[in-house]
Amino acid sequence: MWSSRWLFILAAAGSAVGLGNIWRFPYITGENGGGAFVLVYLICIAAIGVPVMMAEVLLGRAGRQSPINTMRAMARASGAPRAWSLIGWVGVLAGFLILSYYSVVAGWAVHYVFRMGGGAFEGADGAFASQAFADFLADPWQVLGFHTLFMVITVFIVARGVSAGLERAIRVFMPLLFVLLAVLLGYGVASGGFAAGFEFMFRMDWSALTVDGVLEALGHAFFTLSVGMGAIMAYGAYVPRQASIASTVTTIAVLDTAVALAAGLAIFPIVFANGLEPGQGPGLLFVTVPIAFGQLPLGAVFGTAFFVLVSFAAITSAISLTEPALAFAVEEYNAKRSRVAVSLGVICWLLGVGTVLSFNVWADVHVVGELTVFDFLDYVTQKVMLPLGGLFIAVFVGWVLPKTIVGSQLGLREGAATLLWSVLIRVLAPLGVLAVFVYAIFYG
Ligand code: TRP
């Protein structure tokens, strides 16, 4: 059991804050034209992500088992079909698929720890930084090496169990990440790109937003909060009985959103001050940040620290991706934690090779339509599996689970808060996901 509500907040924030905030949010904001996309993303967080996250935590705390068995127990308690445990199974699969490419991108960050440390970007301009990243991606062996390194570290930590040391580290590293984002922000102001970056992120240009962009904002809201596949449900199993779920979840969501917005505000000024392309895709973080640190005094030190922190944020997220599968295997088959961790790591590592190759040797291999292996995994997990998982979690907690369980978990008495919760979980969250799906299918 987490020793206090704060420990759970730290672990859940460690899961939520990761590549999704620092790498993914800025680049998809760039691809989708800025402000309007950011607004839709914020609405999805507040109206859909937060209620579904609350639902996951309350299920986890009520069931106190792995997500699969928690869903079985909760379905039984509701007199509902056992098939609801499919939420847990699909979540396990989603965790594998996400971790396979998450590890590859985290490997890029680890690579940049060494690159920055070696002073490779001193005085670098946009062209140099872009070329450096392209050259790195073009070499499958290097990318594979860092993917392997990241996976080995993750498996090592997971095998030893979520430890107290990790929580202490989160407590130190998370504020440091904010400090370094603030340094980048300061650089953005000084370099004169801040106004353009700010305007890009917050000016509403609705013509830039496509149907697919709306689906992307929805999927990203789930991804960045780590909800829709049971990771937060698995962590919820350890939340102390007396903690308030609503305020705990709100704290995590605010923190997560703050990191994403800070990352955007740090990166877009660099984009505009250096004449870079905001919609250039997954390389955005790795092309912009080295330029800034390359021009700052002590840049090699700060830049190294920055990518260490990003890699660390990625590890605490990766750990949570394994938790549903791990908890289930341990409790159902009495399997050894370390054994499960290694098997899981091998499977995800193998799957990840597809993503490694999709940026070089297999760049022209398309799984469906125009989608490379990486694009496909990203699409299926983020735009299909997580929103569907979230939809079913919301329907289950809103319409199937007995009110007595929900009420006692949330500490609800009759009143405005209860009404707001009901509207969110029963109507807004499920209909929101459905509406975006329908819209994407018929107008996309
Ligand atoms: N939220 C993490 C990030 O933003 C990624 C992540 C960790 C995740 N666990 C998850 C995404 C579970 C979806 C589901 O980087």
Side-chain angles (χ1 to χ4, degrees):
M1 197 139 310
W2 307 102
S3 52
S4 73
R5 172 172 164 266
W6 270 103
L7 280 185
F8 170 73
I9 292 186
L10 280 175
S15 165
V17 174
L19 297 174
N21 308 63
I22 305 161
W23 162 71
R24 196 163 198 285
F25 173 74
Y27 100 71
I28 60 176
T29 297
E31 285 181 339
N32 287 285
F37 175 84
V38 173
L39 181 65
V40 174
Y41 152 80
L42 291 174
I43 293 171
C44 289
I45 293 276
I48 301 175
V50 167
V52 173
M53 193 173 191
M54 285 175 63
E56 273 203 39
V57 177
L58 88 82
L59 284 171
R61 190 168 71 177
R64 293 236 189 264
Q65 295 167 73
S66 68
I68 293 174
N69 281 328
T70 282
M71 286 312 298
R72 279 180 185 157
M74 291 298 111
R76 205 178 313 120
S78 317
R82 210 179 139 90
W84 282 102
S85 63
L86 269 176
I87 290 177
W89 288 105
V90 174
V92 166
L93 177 64
F96 277 77
L97 298 179
I98 295 174
L99 184 55
S100 78
Y101 67 81
Y102 203 84
S103 167
V104 176
V105 178
W108 302 352
V110 177
H111 171 76
Y112 269 70
V113 169
F114 296 101
R115 280 299 267 284
M116 295 301 305
F121 292 99
E122 224 164 291
D125 60 5
F128 179 87
S130 302
Q131 193 58 46
F133 184 69
D135 290 345
F136 166 62
L137 269 199
D139 178 355
W141 290 108
Q142 275 219 64
V143 181
L144 182 69
F146 286 98
H147 161 51
T148 309
L149 178 61
F150 183 83
M151 199 58 100
V152 167
I153 297 172
T154 301
V155 165
F156 182 76
I157 296 175
V158 167
R160 304 191 48 183
V162 180
S163 65
L166 210 63
E167 287 142 11
R168 225 170 300 134
I170 293 172
R171 207 188 302 233
V172 177
F173 285 0
M174 195 85 81
L176 278 181
L177 183 63
F178 268 111
V179 170
L180 284 185
L181 285 171
V183 170
L184 283 174
L185 230 102
Y187 169 84
V189 172
S191 72
F194 189 78
F198 189 89
E199 181 178 332
F200 181 75
M201 273 186 71
F202 296 111
R203 196 174 56 89
M204 296 302 131
D205 176 5
W206 291 99
S207 67
L209 190 65
T210 61
V211 175
D212 190 62
V214 175
L215 179 59
E216 179 121 42
L218 174 75
H220 185 69
F222 283 104
F223 185 88
T224 191
L225 292 176
S226 302
V227 300
M229 53 73 74
I232 293 294
M233 202 187 296
Y235 280 10
Y238 304 99
V239 176
R241 184 68 192 85
Q242 67 284 4
S244 156
I245 291 181
S247 68
T248 305
V249 164
T250 308
T251 307
I252 296 162
V254 167
L255 194 72
D256 185 77
T257 306
V259 176
L261 293 178
L265 284 174
I267 286 173
F268 286 112
I270 309 173
V271 170
F272 294 111
N274 291 279
L276 297 168
E277 174 54 49
Q280 63 178 270
L284 188 65
L285 171 73
F286 300 93
V287 169
T288 50
V289 166
I291 301 175
F293 284 124
Q295 291 171 13
L296 282 171
L298 289 179
V301 176
F302 280 122
T304 308
F306 178 82
F307 282 105
V308 167
L309 293 172
V310 173
S311 306
F312 180 78
I315 286 179
T316 56
S317 299
I319 291 170
S320 78
L321 283 164
T322 69
E323 194 55 30
L326 206 85
F328 180 71
V330 170
E331 111 199 335
E332 189 79 2
Y333 307 110
N334 215 355
K336 245 182 95 184
R337 204 180 160 88
S338 52
R339 242 193 237 148
V340 186
V342 172
S343 328
L344 198 146
V346 169
I347 297 173
C348 292
W349 179 83
L350 270 175
L351 273 171
V353 174
T355 293
V356 169
L357 296 177
S358 69
F359 290 99
N360 35 65
V361 184
W362 288 356
D364 295 318
V365 176
H366 297 139
V367 184
V368 281
E370 294 281 282
L371 305 180
T372 63
V373 175
F374 164 71
D375 297 335
F376 177 74
L377 287 172
D378 186 54
Y379 193 102
V380 168
T381 51
Q382 179 123 309
K383 291 184 180 163
V384 182
M385 295 175 95
L386 295 181
L388 263 187
L391 170 63
F392 282 109
I393 289 168
V395 169
F396 183 79
V397 170
W399 296 92
V400 179
L401 198 63
K403 288 228 166 33
T404 47
I405 297 185
V406 180
S408 83
Q409 283 297 331
L410 297 182
L412 289 178
R413 273 162 248 110
E414 290 305 309
T418 310
L419 186 66
L420 175 64
W421 161 253
S422 303
V423 170
L424 282 171
I425 200 70
R426 305 185 76 169
V427 186
L428 268 181
L431 277 188
V433 175
L434 263 184
V436 175
F437 273 158
V438 169
Y439 182 57
I441 289 167
F442 291 103
Y443 300 95

PDB file of all heavy atoms in Angstrom, residues 14-21 95 98 102 220 222-232 256 313-314 316-318 320-321 382 386, ligand 1:
ATOM      1  N   GLY A  14       4.270  10.189 -11.963  1.00  0.00           N
ATOM      2  CA  GLY A  14       5.412   9.601 -12.651  1.00  0.00           C
ATOM      3  C   GLY A  14       4.972   8.831 -13.882  1.00  0.00           C
ATOM      4  O   GLY A  14       5.641   8.840 -14.913  1.00  0.00           O
ATOM      5  N   SER A  15       3.825   8.172 -13.763  1.00  0.00           N
ATOM      6  CA  SER A  15       3.281   7.461 -14.916  1.00  0.00           C
ATOM      7  C   SER A  15       2.768   8.432 -15.969  1.00  0.00           C
ATOM      8  O   SER A  15       3.022   8.283 -17.161  1.00  0.00           O
ATOM      9  CB  SER A  15       2.139   6.539 -14.461  1.00  0.00           C
ATOM     10  OG  SER A  15       1.387   6.118 -15.569  1.00  0.00           O
ATOM     11  N   ALA A  16       2.058   9.440 -15.523  1.00  0.00           N
ATOM     12  CA  ALA A  16       1.416  10.357 -16.473  1.00  0.00           C
ATOM     13  C   ALA A  16       2.442  11.231 -17.195  1.00  0.00           C
ATOM     14  O   ALA A  16       2.408  11.385 -18.416  1.00  0.00           O
ATOM     15  CB  ALA A  16       0.399  11.236 -15.743  1.00  0.00           C
ATOM     16  N   VAL A  17       3.366  11.810 -16.437  1.00  0.00           N
ATOM     17  CA  VAL A  17       4.354  12.707 -17.044  1.00  0.00           C
ATOM     18  C   VAL A  17       5.435  11.878 -17.717  1.00  0.00           C
ATOM     19  O   VAL A  17       6.125  11.102 -17.067  1.00  0.00           O
ATOM     20  CB  VAL A  17       4.978  13.638 -15.988  1.00  0.00           C
ATOM     21  CG1 VAL A  17       6.101  14.458 -16.598  1.00  0.00           C
ATOM     22  CG2 VAL A  17       3.914  14.538 -15.383  1.00  0.00           C
ATOM     23  N   GLY A  18       5.541  12.031 -19.012  1.00  0.00           N
ATOM     24  CA  GLY A  18       6.531  11.241 -19.739  1.00  0.00           C
ATOM     25  C   GLY A  18       6.733  11.803 -21.130  1.00  0.00           C
ATOM     26  O   GLY A  18       6.551  13.005 -21.375  1.00  0.00           O
ATOM     27  N   LEU A  19       7.080  10.917 -22.055  1.00  0.00           N
ATOM     28  CA  LEU A  19       7.301  11.350 -23.434  1.00  0.00           C
ATOM     29  C   LEU A  19       6.045  11.979 -24.014  1.00  0.00           C
ATOM     30  O   LEU A  19       6.118  12.829 -24.896  1.00  0.00           O
ATOM     31  CB  LEU A  19       7.710  10.143 -24.284  1.00  0.00           C
ATOM     32  CG  LEU A  19       9.024   9.475 -23.879  1.00  0.00           C
ATOM     33  CD1 LEU A  19       9.241   8.205 -24.693  1.00  0.00           C
ATOM     34  CD2 LEU A  19      10.181  10.437 -24.087  1.00  0.00           C
ATOM     35  N   GLY A  20       4.891  11.542 -23.522  1.00  0.00           N
ATOM     36  CA  GLY A  20       3.633  12.112 -24.003  1.00  0.00           C
ATOM     37  C   GLY A  20       3.607  13.619 -23.836  1.00  0.00           C
ATOM     38  O   GLY A  20       3.151  14.341 -24.726  1.00  0.00           O
ATOM     39  N   ASN A  21       4.112  14.103 -22.728  1.00  0.00           N
ATOM     40  CA  ASN A  21       4.087  15.538 -22.455  1.00  0.00           C
ATOM     41  C   ASN A  21       5.188  16.289 -23.185  1.00  0.00           C
ATOM     42  O   ASN A  21       4.974  17.380 -23.700  1.00  0.00           O
ATOM     43  CB  ASN A  21       4.291  15.783 -20.954  1.00  0.00           C
ATOM     44  CG  ASN A  21       3.329  14.980 -20.121  1.00  0.00           C
ATOM     45  OD1 ASN A  21       3.377  13.755 -20.153  1.00  0.00           O
ATOM     46  ND2 ASN A  21       2.459  15.647 -19.412  1.00  0.00           N
ATOM     47  N   GLY A  95      -0.874  -2.134 -23.413  1.00  0.00           N
ATOM     48  CA  GLY A  95       0.368  -1.836 -22.699  1.00  0.00           C
ATOM     49  C   GLY A  95       1.591  -2.375 -23.434  1.00  0.00           C
ATOM     50  O   GLY A  95       2.593  -1.681 -23.581  1.00  0.00           O
ATOM     51  N   ILE A  98       2.081  -0.283 -26.725  1.00  0.00           N
ATOM     52  CA  ILE A  98       2.594   1.066 -26.458  1.00  0.00           C
ATOM     53  C   ILE A  98       4.049   0.997 -26.013  1.00  0.00           C
ATOM     54  O   ILE A  98       4.906   1.723 -26.516  1.00  0.00           O
ATOM     55  CB  ILE A  98       1.749   1.798 -25.390  1.00  0.00           C
ATOM     56  CG1 ILE A  98       0.331   2.053 -25.902  1.00  0.00           C
ATOM     57  CG2 ILE A  98       2.401   3.134 -25.002  1.00  0.00           C
ATOM     58  CD1 ILE A  98      -0.628   2.638 -24.869  1.00  0.00           C
ATOM     59  N   TYR A 102       7.264   3.034 -27.295  1.00  0.00           N
ATOM     60  CA  TYR A 102       7.675   4.005 -26.272  1.00  0.00           C
ATOM     61  C   TYR A 102       9.152   3.832 -25.965  1.00  0.00           C
ATOM     62  O   TYR A 102       9.895   4.793 -25.815  1.00  0.00           O
ATOM     63  CB  TYR A 102       6.841   3.751 -25.016  1.00  0.00           C
ATOM     64  CG  TYR A 102       6.723   4.925 -24.079  1.00  0.00           C
ATOM     65  CD1 TYR A 102       5.764   5.909 -24.302  1.00  0.00           C
ATOM     66  CD2 TYR A 102       7.558   5.054 -22.975  1.00  0.00           C
ATOM     67  CE1 TYR A 102       5.638   6.987 -23.440  1.00  0.00           C
ATOM     68  CE2 TYR A 102       7.442   6.129 -22.123  1.00  0.00           C
ATOM     69  CZ  TYR A 102       6.478   7.093 -22.356  1.00  0.00           C
ATOM     70  OH  TYR A 102       6.357   8.162 -21.507  1.00  0.00           O
ATOM     71  N   HIS A 220      -4.741  11.569 -27.395  1.00  0.00           N
ATOM     72  CA  HIS A 220      -3.603  12.050 -26.622  1.00  0.00           C
ATOM     73  C   HIS A 220      -3.996  12.363 -25.182  1.00  0.00           C
ATOM     74  O   HIS A 220      -3.189  12.182 -24.271  1.00  0.00           O
ATOM     75  CB  HIS A 220      -2.957  13.268 -27.270  1.00  0.00           C
ATOM     76  CG  HIS A 220      -1.723  13.700 -26.550  1.00  0.00           C
ATOM     77  ND1 HIS A 220      -0.572  12.948 -26.548  1.00  0.00           N
ATOM     78  CD2 HIS A 220      -1.474  14.749 -25.732  1.00  0.00           C
ATOM     79  CE1 HIS A 220       0.331  13.533 -25.775  1.00  0.00           C
ATOM     80  NE2 HIS A 220      -0.194  14.627 -25.264  1.00  0.00           N
ATOM     81  N   PHE A 222      -6.030  10.708 -23.367  1.00  0.00           N
ATOM     82  CA  PHE A 222      -5.931   9.426 -22.663  1.00  0.00           C
ATOM     83  C   PHE A 222      -4.470   9.048 -22.455  1.00  0.00           C
ATOM     84  O   PHE A 222      -4.049   8.670 -21.366  1.00  0.00           O
ATOM     85  CB  PHE A 222      -6.635   8.318 -23.454  1.00  0.00           C
ATOM     86  CG  PHE A 222      -8.133   8.355 -23.334  1.00  0.00           C
ATOM     87  CD1 PHE A 222      -8.920   8.837 -24.365  1.00  0.00           C
ATOM     88  CD2 PHE A 222      -8.762   7.920 -22.185  1.00  0.00           C
ATOM     89  CE1 PHE A 222     -10.300   8.885 -24.252  1.00  0.00           C
ATOM     90  CE2 PHE A 222     -10.137   7.955 -22.050  1.00  0.00           C
ATOM     91  CZ  PHE A 222     -10.913   8.438 -23.092  1.00  0.00           C
ATOM     92  N   PHE A 223      -3.691   9.157 -23.524  1.00  0.00           N
ATOM     93  CA  PHE A 223      -2.290   8.737 -23.481  1.00  0.00           C
ATOM     94  C   PHE A 223      -1.516   9.494 -22.408  1.00  0.00           C
ATOM     95  O   PHE A 223      -0.814   8.909 -21.591  1.00  0.00           O
ATOM     96  CB  PHE A 223      -1.655   8.975 -24.853  1.00  0.00           C
ATOM     97  CG  PHE A 223      -0.248   8.467 -24.978  1.00  0.00           C
ATOM     98  CD1 PHE A 223       0.008   7.168 -25.378  1.00  0.00           C
ATOM     99  CD2 PHE A 223       0.828   9.305 -24.715  1.00  0.00           C
ATOM    100  CE1 PHE A 223       1.299   6.706 -25.504  1.00  0.00           C
ATOM    101  CE2 PHE A 223       2.137   8.843 -24.830  1.00  0.00           C
ATOM    102  CZ  PHE A 223       2.369   7.541 -25.229  1.00  0.00           C
ATOM    103  N   THR A 224      -1.674  10.797 -22.395  1.00  0.00           N
ATOM    104  CA  THR A 224      -0.850  11.612 -21.500  1.00  0.00           C
ATOM    105  C   THR A 224      -1.239  11.402 -20.039  1.00  0.00           C
ATOM    106  O   THR A 224      -0.417  11.543 -19.147  1.00  0.00           O
ATOM    107  CB  THR A 224      -0.913  13.098 -21.901  1.00  0.00           C
ATOM    108  OG1 THR A 224       0.091  13.806 -21.179  1.00  0.00           O
ATOM    109  CG2 THR A 224      -2.257  13.720 -21.609  1.00  0.00           C
ATOM    110  N   LEU A 225      -2.512  11.053 -19.781  1.00  0.00           N
ATOM    111  CA  LEU A 225      -2.924  10.792 -18.396  1.00  0.00           C
ATOM    112  C   LEU A 225      -2.710   9.323 -18.017  1.00  0.00           C
ATOM    113  O   LEU A 225      -2.993   8.925 -16.889  1.00  0.00           O
ATOM    114  CB  LEU A 225      -4.395  11.158 -18.203  1.00  0.00           C
ATOM    115  CG  LEU A 225      -4.762  12.642 -18.294  1.00  0.00           C
ATOM    116  CD1 LEU A 225      -6.275  12.817 -18.182  1.00  0.00           C
ATOM    117  CD2 LEU A 225      -4.061  13.449 -17.203  1.00  0.00           C
ATOM    118  N   SER A 226      -2.253   8.504 -18.949  1.00  0.00           N
ATOM    119  CA  SER A 226      -2.075   7.054 -18.733  1.00  0.00           C
ATOM    120  C   SER A 226      -3.394   6.341 -18.480  1.00  0.00           C
ATOM    121  O   SER A 226      -3.422   5.334 -17.771  1.00  0.00           O
ATOM    122  CB  SER A 226      -1.149   6.747 -17.545  1.00  0.00           C
ATOM    123  OG  SER A 226       0.098   7.319 -17.724  1.00  0.00           O
ATOM    124  N   VAL A 227      -4.494   6.833 -19.016  1.00  0.00           N
ATOM    125  CA  VAL A 227      -5.753   6.144 -18.752  1.00  0.00           C
ATOM    126  C   VAL A 227      -6.282   5.428 -19.994  1.00  0.00           C
ATOM    127  O   VAL A 227      -5.899   5.717 -21.116  1.00  0.00           O
ATOM    128  CB  VAL A 227      -6.854   7.072 -18.190  1.00  0.00           C
ATOM    129  CG1 VAL A 227      -6.415   7.683 -16.884  1.00  0.00           C
ATOM    130  CG2 VAL A 227      -7.284   8.100 -19.186  1.00  0.00           C
ATOM    131  N   GLY A 228      -7.173   4.459 -19.747  1.00  0.00           N
ATOM    132  CA  GLY A 228      -7.809   3.724 -20.829  1.00  0.00           C
ATOM    133  C   GLY A 228      -7.301   2.304 -20.973  1.00  0.00           C
ATOM    134  O   GLY A 228      -7.841   1.535 -21.761  1.00  0.00           O
ATOM    135  N   MET A 229      -6.255   1.938 -20.228  1.00  0.00           N
ATOM    136  CA  MET A 229      -5.754   0.559 -20.372  1.00  0.00           C
ATOM    137  C   MET A 229      -5.475  -0.118 -19.027  1.00  0.00           C
ATOM    138  O   MET A 229      -4.926  -1.216 -18.977  1.00  0.00           O
ATOM    139  CB  MET A 229      -4.525   0.485 -21.285  1.00  0.00           C
ATOM    140  CG  MET A 229      -3.360   1.376 -20.975  1.00  0.00           C
ATOM    141  SD  MET A 229      -2.392   0.888 -19.528  1.00  0.00           S
ATOM    142  CE  MET A 229      -1.510  -0.540 -20.198  1.00  0.00           C
ATOM    143  N   GLY A 230      -5.846   0.517 -17.914  1.00  0.00           N
ATOM    144  CA  GLY A 230      -5.715  -0.182 -16.634  1.00  0.00           C
ATOM    145  C   GLY A 230      -4.479   0.148 -15.819  1.00  0.00           C
ATOM    146  O   GLY A 230      -4.347  -0.342 -14.700  1.00  0.00           O
ATOM    147  N   ALA A 231      -3.559   0.956 -16.371  1.00  0.00           N
ATOM    148  CA  ALA A 231      -2.342   1.270 -15.615  1.00  0.00           C
ATOM    149  C   ALA A 231      -2.701   2.000 -14.318  1.00  0.00           C
ATOM    150  O   ALA A 231      -2.195   1.660 -13.241  1.00  0.00           O
ATOM    151  CB  ALA A 231      -1.390   2.122 -16.456  1.00  0.00           C
ATOM    152  N   ILE A 232      -3.577   2.978 -14.438  1.00  0.00           N
ATOM    153  CA  ILE A 232      -3.960   3.750 -13.251  1.00  0.00           C
ATOM    154  C   ILE A 232      -4.860   2.908 -12.342  1.00  0.00           C
ATOM    155  O   ILE A 232      -4.842   3.055 -11.124  1.00  0.00           O
ATOM    156  CB  ILE A 232      -4.627   5.072 -13.688  1.00  0.00           C
ATOM    157  CG1 ILE A 232      -3.595   5.972 -14.370  1.00  0.00           C
ATOM    158  CG2 ILE A 232      -5.270   5.789 -12.512  1.00  0.00           C
ATOM    159  CD1 ILE A 232      -2.472   6.466 -13.470  1.00  0.00           C
ATOM    160  N   ASP A 256       0.170  17.192 -14.904  1.00  0.00           N
ATOM    161  CA  ASP A 256       0.480  16.636 -16.220  1.00  0.00           C
ATOM    162  C   ASP A 256       0.283  17.680 -17.314  1.00  0.00           C
ATOM    163  O   ASP A 256       1.115  17.828 -18.209  1.00  0.00           O
ATOM    164  CB  ASP A 256      -0.421  15.419 -16.467  1.00  0.00           C
ATOM    165  CG  ASP A 256      -0.068  14.714 -17.759  1.00  0.00           C
ATOM    166  OD1 ASP A 256       0.951  13.986 -17.766  1.00  0.00           O
ATOM    167  OD2 ASP A 256      -0.777  14.898 -18.759  1.00  0.00           O
ATOM    168  N   ALA A 313      11.760  10.399 -16.815  1.00  0.00           N
ATOM    169  CA  ALA A 313      10.297  10.514 -16.905  1.00  0.00           C
ATOM    170  C   ALA A 313       9.741   9.378 -17.757  1.00  0.00           C
ATOM    171  O   ALA A 313       8.666   8.839 -17.475  1.00  0.00           O
ATOM    172  CB  ALA A 313       9.907  11.871 -17.486  1.00  0.00           C
ATOM    173  N   ALA A 314      10.482   8.995 -18.802  1.00  0.00           N
ATOM    174  CA  ALA A 314      10.040   7.902 -19.669  1.00  0.00           C
ATOM    175  C   ALA A 314      10.067   6.571 -18.922  1.00  0.00           C
ATOM    176  O   ALA A 314       9.177   5.731 -19.086  1.00  0.00           O
ATOM    177  CB  ALA A 314      10.914   7.841 -20.922  1.00  0.00           C
ATOM    178  N   THR A 316       9.665   6.026 -15.630  1.00  0.00           N
ATOM    179  CA  THR A 316       8.560   5.910 -14.670  1.00  0.00           C
ATOM    180  C   THR A 316       7.232   5.684 -15.401  1.00  0.00           C
ATOM    181  O   THR A 316       6.314   5.103 -14.836  1.00  0.00           O
ATOM    182  CB  THR A 316       8.466   7.149 -13.760  1.00  0.00           C
ATOM    183  OG1 THR A 316       8.339   8.313 -14.568  1.00  0.00           O
ATOM    184  CG2 THR A 316       9.684   7.261 -12.875  1.00  0.00           C
ATOM    185  N   SER A 317       7.130   6.148 -16.643  1.00  0.00           N
ATOM    186  CA  SER A 317       5.923   5.871 -17.433  1.00  0.00           C
ATOM    187  C   SER A 317       5.942   4.435 -17.948  1.00  0.00           C
ATOM    188  O   SER A 317       4.927   3.735 -17.905  1.00  0.00           O
ATOM    189  CB  SER A 317       5.820   6.838 -18.619  1.00  0.00           C
ATOM    190  OG  SER A 317       5.737   8.164 -18.164  1.00  0.00           O
ATOM    191  N   ALA A 318       7.095   4.010 -18.439  1.00  0.00           N
ATOM    192  CA  ALA A 318       7.209   2.656 -18.985  1.00  0.00           C
ATOM    193  C   ALA A 318       6.878   1.608 -17.927  1.00  0.00           C
ATOM    194  O   ALA A 318       6.214   0.606 -18.206  1.00  0.00           O
ATOM    195  CB  ALA A 318       8.622   2.428 -19.540  1.00  0.00           C
ATOM    196  N   SER A 320       4.784   1.813 -15.558  1.00  0.00           N
ATOM    197  CA  SER A 320       3.341   1.691 -15.347  1.00  0.00           C
ATOM    198  C   SER A 320       2.666   0.944 -16.500  1.00  0.00           C
ATOM    199  O   SER A 320       1.614   0.350 -16.328  1.00  0.00           O
ATOM    200  CB  SER A 320       2.702   3.067 -15.163  1.00  0.00           C
ATOM    201  OG  SER A 320       2.549   3.728 -16.392  1.00  0.00           O
ATOM    202  N   LEU A 321       3.294   0.988 -17.678  1.00  0.00           N
ATOM    203  CA  LEU A 321       2.724   0.257 -18.813  1.00  0.00           C
ATOM    204  C   LEU A 321       2.789  -1.250 -18.596  1.00  0.00           C
ATOM    205  O   LEU A 321       2.010  -2.011 -19.140  1.00  0.00           O
ATOM    206  CB  LEU A 321       3.464   0.623 -20.109  1.00  0.00           C
ATOM    207  CG  LEU A 321       3.095   1.983 -20.707  1.00  0.00           C
ATOM    208  CD1 LEU A 321       4.131   2.421 -21.731  1.00  0.00           C
ATOM    209  CD2 LEU A 321       1.716   1.927 -21.352  1.00  0.00           C
ATOM    210  N   GLN A 382      -3.408   4.576 -29.619  1.00  0.00           N
ATOM    211  CA  GLN A 382      -3.797   5.882 -29.157  1.00  0.00           C
ATOM    212  C   GLN A 382      -5.161   6.315 -29.633  1.00  0.00           C
ATOM    213  O   GLN A 382      -5.924   6.906 -28.886  1.00  0.00           O
ATOM    214  CB  GLN A 382      -2.759   6.797 -29.758  1.00  0.00           C
ATOM    215  CG  GLN A 382      -2.966   8.127 -29.460  1.00  0.00           C
ATOM    216  CD  GLN A 382      -1.720   8.587 -28.786  1.00  0.00           C
ATOM    217  OE1 GLN A 382      -1.213   8.013 -27.851  1.00  0.00           O
ATOM    218  NE2 GLN A 382      -1.232   9.644 -29.280  1.00  0.00           N
ATOM    219  N   LEU A 386      -7.119   3.079 -26.549  1.00  0.00           N
ATOM    220  CA  LEU A 386      -7.288   3.864 -25.320  1.00  0.00           C
ATOM    221  C   LEU A 386      -8.662   4.533 -25.240  1.00  0.00           C
ATOM    222  O   LEU A 386      -9.344   4.420 -24.218  1.00  0.00           O
ATOM    223  CB  LEU A 386      -6.169   4.901 -25.174  1.00  0.00           C
ATOM    224  CG  LEU A 386      -4.749   4.365 -24.988  1.00  0.00           C
ATOM    225  CD1 LEU A 386      -3.758   5.511 -24.835  1.00  0.00           C
ATOM    226  CD2 LEU A 386      -4.655   3.435 -23.786  1.00  0.00           C
TER     227      LEU A 386
HETATM  228  N1  TRP B   1       1.379   8.872 -19.891  1.00  0.00           N
HETATM  229  C1  TRP B   1       2.685   8.517 -20.349  1.00  0.00           C
HETATM  230  C2  TRP B   1       3.256   9.668 -21.145  1.00  0.00           C
HETATM  231  O1  TRP B   1       2.625  10.674 -21.309  1.00  0.00           O
HETATM  232  C3  TRP B   1       2.667   7.231 -21.150  1.00  0.00           C
HETATM  233  C4  TRP B   1       1.960   6.133 -20.451  1.00  0.00           C
HETATM  234  C5  TRP B   1       2.347   5.517 -19.310  1.00  0.00           C
HETATM  235  C6  TRP B   1       0.721   5.571 -20.813  1.00  0.00           C
HETATM  236  N2  TRP B   1       1.406   4.597 -18.941  1.00  0.00           N
HETATM  237  C7  TRP B   1       0.402   4.612 -19.832  1.00  0.00           C
HETATM  238  C8  TRP B   1      -0.136   5.805 -21.868  1.00  0.00           C
HETATM  239  C9  TRP B   1      -0.783   3.903 -19.907  1.00  0.00           C
HETATM  240  C10 TRP B   1      -1.317   5.099 -21.940  1.00  0.00           C
HETATM  241  C11 TRP B   1      -1.652   4.169 -20.973  1.00  0.00           C
HETATM  242  O2  TRP B   1       4.337   9.589 -21.619  1.00  0.00           O
END
